[in-house]
Amino acid sequence: MLGLSIALSSCQSIVADTASSANAIGPSSNPQVFSEAQKNDPNASMGAREHPRILATYGGEYTDQKTEKLVARIAGSLTAVSENPKQSYRITILNSPAINAFALPGGYLYVTRGLLALANDASEVAAVLAHEMAHVTANHGILRQQKEEAEQIASQVVSEVLQNDVAGQQAIARGKLRLAAFSRNQELQADEIGVRMLGEAGYDPYAAARFLTSMENYGRFTAVNGEDQSLDFLSSHPSAPQRVELARQHARAFGQEGTVGDKGRDYYLAGIDGLLFGDSPKEGYVRGTTFLHANLGIRFDVPEGFQIDNKAEAVLATGPGDIAVRFDGVSGQQQISLTDYIASGWVTGLDKGSIRAIKVNGMDAATARASAQKWDFDVTVIRSGTQIYRFLTAVPKGNPKLEDIAGEIRDSFRRMTPSEIASLKPLRVRVITAGPKDTVDTLSARMMGTDRKADLFRLLNAMTAFSPVRPGDKFKIISE
């Protein structure tokens, strides 16, 4: 309904290019089309079959000519030094804020715009793409295919037994994650091949270890924010400190850290300046404790101290004391009253005697109570246009705050005004240059979309607590 994005992770992809070789790259007089190049690849049908599902899962393709040229530039130099230089690749930037990248057999490589936003230079993205290219050239995807039929059977059983309820959907999703994930040995092999490709392509070979560290830091940042990391990039990779050290060991074959390879920072930052960050317009926006959806023309607030997580299946919010809220919507229910809709069987443990019709900011609505195991629920449905929007507020059984929390959220739900819709703009990566008096505090104060401005600023720019801010240095911030 809301078009919210989910990230079933798998692996990371990487593509790089050096500044020197990039100057020699130009359009071919006889360009090779990916589909033509793949005609002789027996594995291409596997990637082609899964490609539409990947696009649907990750919010479609992110189209921006400047960013696409950047990623293609990085990929070009890696192809020449890959284990199989004749292998062609189709690289897709996915319109997802998740930090993720992965590969499918036949040369299908994917990288999310979220990963591009986290990376600080071309060599880091090259590290990711080289890793993914290694999976392709080592045929790891073909080896993984042997598990697919068994996983499909297991998913079918789960779907039938659990009747595709929430638990069933989660089990199927995690089954797909297990299928997508490579073995630890395959990951380490891809790491080794990827670092070699980095060095041979002229990139900083230490970028792999550096970006692995950035992703670990990102995982800790989002964990503190209360976000679910169970399906993100890190959960499908052996992201232990030992892996970082192994990446450094492989890099030492090319020389001492800081003395070899090109990072490609300036042209990389120029290529991602203006990159969409966080939620896309079709998914709605989270601004602090407010959820807004300009396309649907609706908004609501959660209480202070709650964290909103904009997921594929619903908008979720969590608060102190194990209080949780789920918001989603359905269409095509115009012929049924809202009180009858609540009683139609989709609510487990419903107290039918509690159902009552109400109004919410001029819109028809209905509420009810339900209980299940250790939880009490408030169920609220609101009709706006052709949609029925649903709030499910859960508190530990006996918690007296249920009515107050549910009522506050319910009463905040309203239609957006035309001026609100017009003024709502997506967040983007903006590259700024530090002035003589700038500090982390002055630069991070310009950040939007987070209460932890300094923390996110340091994370996005791979800075420690002691990293300096020098006049003329370029930094990423998040702004409209």
Side-chain angles (χ1 to χ4, degrees):
M1 175 287 293
L2 294 173
L4 312 174
S5 64
I6 191 171
L8 301 177
S9 345
S10 57
C11 187
Q12 62 194 84
S13 309
I14 309 166
V15 187
D17 178 24
T18 64
S20 57
S21 63
N23 295 330
I25 295 176
S28 169
S29 59
N30 184 27
Q32 178 82 311
V33 179
F34 178 78
S35 57
E36 289 296 318
Q38 297 302 83
K39 281 186 175 180
N40 297 322
D41 187 344
N43 304 323
S45 61
M46 294 174 59
R49 183 178 65 246
E50 292 298 310
H51 181 69
R53 182 183 67 81
I54 295 296
L55 293 181
T57 301
Y58 283 87
E61 186 171 356
Y62 180 74
T63 55
D64 177 84
Q65 190 175 59
K66 182 172 66 172
T67 308
E68 291 173 56
K69 285 183 177 179
L70 171 68
V71 174
R73 173 181 178 178
I74 297 172
S77 59
L78 290 177
T79 303
V81 299
S82 72
E83 299 282 290
N84 180 9
K86 294 183 179 181
Q87 172 71 56
S88 58
Y89 295 93
R90 175 173 179 170
I91 304 171
T92 301
I93 303 173
L94 296 170
N95 189 19
S96 170
I99 311 296
N100 207 359
F102 46 93
L104 293 177
Y108 288 79
L109 302 182
Y110 303 88
V111 59
T112 62
R113 58 175 170 81
L115 187 145
L116 297 179
L118 180 63
N120 272 283
D121 55 51
S123 68
E124 291 183 355
V125 175
V128 175
L129 290 175
H131 178 102
E132 290 307 326
M133 287 179 171
H135 280 310
V136 173
T137 57
N139 287 325
H140 290 163
I142 303 302
L143 299 174
R144 189 178 63 194
Q145 184 189 21
Q146 298 172 2
K147 298 187 295 183
E148 184 169 1
E149 291 184 4
E151 191 64 59
Q152 287 177 340
I153 294 173
S155 295
Q156 182 178 358
V157 171
V158 168
S159 178
E160 292 175 354
V161 172
L162 297 178
Q163 299 178 354
N164 206 30
D165 63 2
V166 173
Q169 293 173 11
Q170 290 176 346
I172 292 172
R174 293 180 189 280
K176 291 178 179 177
L177 173 61
R178 288 193 301 272
L179 180 63
F182 294 106
S183 74
R184 179 178 177 83
N185 286 340
Q186 288 172 330
E187 292 292 356
L188 295 177
Q189 182 186 11
D191 281 348
E192 182 176 3
I193 295 172
V195 171
R196 180 194 59 74
M197 290 172 64
L198 275 180
E200 293 185 0
Y203 276 107
D204 176 8
Y206 292 88
R210 196 167 63 245
F211 195 55
L212 282 170
T213 300
S214 288
M215 286 188 291
E216 291 283 5
N217 292 338
Y218 171 81
R220 285 192 290 270
F221 176 85
T222 53
V224 171
N225 269 1
E227 297 176 22
D228 179 11
Q229 293 297 298
S230 60
L231 293 177
D232 77 348
F233 180 97
L234 296 177
S235 65
S236 64
H237 292 70
S239 303
Q242 293 90 337
R243 186 182 178 203
V244 175
E245 180 54 34
L246 283 173
R248 287 199 179 97
Q249 288 180 18
H250 297 319
R252 290 186 189 114
F254 294 91
Q256 186 177 352
E257 186 169 4
T259 66
V260 290
D262 176 47
K263 291 185 177 180
R265 178 172 169 80
D266 287 342
Y267 74 79
Y268 183 77
L269 292 180
I272 64 167
D273 191 13
L275 179 73
L276 186 66
F277 184 85
D279 301 322
S280 69
K282 69 178 181 179
E283 299 162 352
Y285 302 112
V286 176
R287 296 290 189 270
T289 57
T290 302
F291 176 79
L292 311 97
H293 202 303
N295 292 350
L296 298 174
I298 59 168
R299 60 173 291 167
F300 66 86
D301 303 310
V302 297
E304 289 295 327
F306 276 65
Q307 295 284 344
I308 301 178
D309 194 3
N310 193 355
K311 287 189 172 293
E313 70 278 11
V315 179
L316 307 177
T318 55
D322 293 330
I323 299 175
V325 180
R326 177 189 171 96
F327 170 79
D328 65 7
V330 294
S331 59
Q333 302 286 340
Q334 296 304 301
Q335 307 304 317
I336 187 173
S337 71
L338 293 180
T339 52
D340 287 343
Y341 175 70
I342 286 183
S344 62
W346 60 278
V347 180
T348 301
L350 177 67
D351 176 5
K352 292 187 176 182
S354 68
I355 300 175
R356 60 188 178 95
I358 60 171
K359 289 280 188 179
V360 172
N361 293 317
M363 294 171 281
D364 290 334
T367 67
R369 290 294 182 89
S371 295
Q373 297 181 347
K374 299 179 181 180
W375 301 93
D376 290 333
F377 301 93
D378 177 275
V379 183
T380 296
V381 295
I382 305 169
R383 176 171 278 140
S384 178
T386 61
Q387 293 282 118
I388 293 178
Y389 297 102
R390 310 186 298 188
F391 287 99
L392 186 66
T393 304
V395 301
K397 190 174 289 292
N399 189 323
K401 294 183 179 180
L402 177 58
E403 179 55 39
D404 290 343
I405 297 293
E408 182 177 345
I409 297 171
R410 176 195 311 135
D411 294 343
S412 74
F413 182 88
R414 63 175 176 84
R415 299 185 183 96
M416 296 177 65
T417 65
S419 62
E420 286 177 323
I421 293 174
S423 65
L424 188 60
K425 295 180 175 62
L427 297 178
R428 297 186 182 276
V429 175
R430 301 295 183 188
V431 178
I432 59 175
T433 302
K437 296 183 179 180
D438 273 323
T439 64
V440 168
D441 289 339
T442 63
L443 295 175
S444 64
R446 301 166 64 176
M447 297 272 289
M448 299 177 63
T450 178
D451 294 331
R452 302 171 59 199
K453 294 184 177 183
D455 289 343
L456 184 57
F457 176 80
R458 287 192 179 95
L459 175 65
L460 290 177
N461 292 284
M463 299 174 70
T464 69
F466 306 102
S467 297
V469 172
R470 293 180 290 260
D473 285 351
K474 296 183 184 299
F475 296 93
K476 294 180 290 180
I477 64 168
I478 306 303
S479 183
E480 290 183 345

